Amino acid sequence: MEWSFVHKTWDKWASANIGHSGHPLKAAFLINHDPTGPSRLLSTIAEQEGIKANPIELNHFVDFIKRNQLHTESFIIGSNQYLVTSIHENWFSARCINTSKPAGEGAIVMQTTAYILVALYEGSIGPASRAMAAADQLAWQLGRKNL
């Protein structure tokens, strides 16, 4: 039941929010992650759209989050390196520091009870606000089921 709910919710959310023109996000992925679970349990990609995440990269990213040194380190997704710009209780935002896009690129990373959502967008303040709203929508839906 739980996986079915997550998959159905992701599909509906992704089709409305991820794409090139007119969508707030260029890509996103959902990592199955339990921070209270045993360290031998590896995080896995539960869903992804617009990006093909590398499992090794994923482990480095999850380690970055576990170290909780968000304000002193950067992280890599694909060929982009990100620097955290804003940290909040269960989410943070980051800007790409090696982008070739004139308006820039960014990431919103949200943690729910069982998942980490990484939402990638192109642009600056306006697109960042739309990306945050889209990411928050999925996190809220997963939070309703305590996921």
Side-chain angles (χ1 to χ4, degrees):
M1 166 71 174
E2 178 182 306
W3 173 244
S4 175
F5 171 80
V6 171
H7 184 67
K8 182 179 175 184
T9 302
W10 173 270
D11 282 347
K12 185 175 180 182
W13 176 83
S15 67
N17 291 291
I18 302 171
H20 296 294
S21 179
H23 288 90
L25 304 174
K26 71 174 189 171
F29 57 95
L30 192 63
I31 303 168
N32 189 4
H33 175 71
D34 180 4
T36 62
S39 61
R40 70 182 180 281
L41 293 179
L42 293 177
S43 298
T44 58
I45 299 168
E47 297 282 357
Q48 59 186 330
E49 184 76 28
I51 189 171
K52 187 71 173 161
N54 177 324
I56 294 170
E57 227 173 62
L58 169 70
N59 286 333
H60 291 296
F61 178 70
V62 171
D63 288 343
F64 164 78
I65 291 174
K66 285 179 181 178
R67 284 191 303 274
N68 200 24
Q69 296 295 316
L70 303 178
H71 59 284
T72 60
E73 298 179 28
S74 63
F75 62 93
I76 295 175
I77 295 175
S79 61
N80 290 341
Q81 184 176 6
Y82 293 86
L83 184 66
V84 175
T85 56
S86 182
I87 303 170
H88 304 273
E89 187 175 334
N90 64 340
W91 67 276
F92 63 88
S93 61
R95 292 295 291 170
C96 180
I97 58 176
N98 66 328
T99 184
S100 61
K101 307 280 183 197
E105 296 179 78
I108 305 290
V109 180
M110 295 189 138
Q111 190 160 2
T112 69
T113 304
Y115 295 96
I116 297 170
L117 169 64
V118 180
L120 304 174
Y121 64 93
E122 291 180 3
S124 190
I125 296 171
S129 295
R130 289 188 293 279
M132 181 64 206
D136 193 49
Q137 179 187 35
L138 180 63
W140 180 80
Q141 290 173 348
L142 294 176
R144 285 184 17 216
K145 290 282 190 176
N146 206 22
L147 301 174

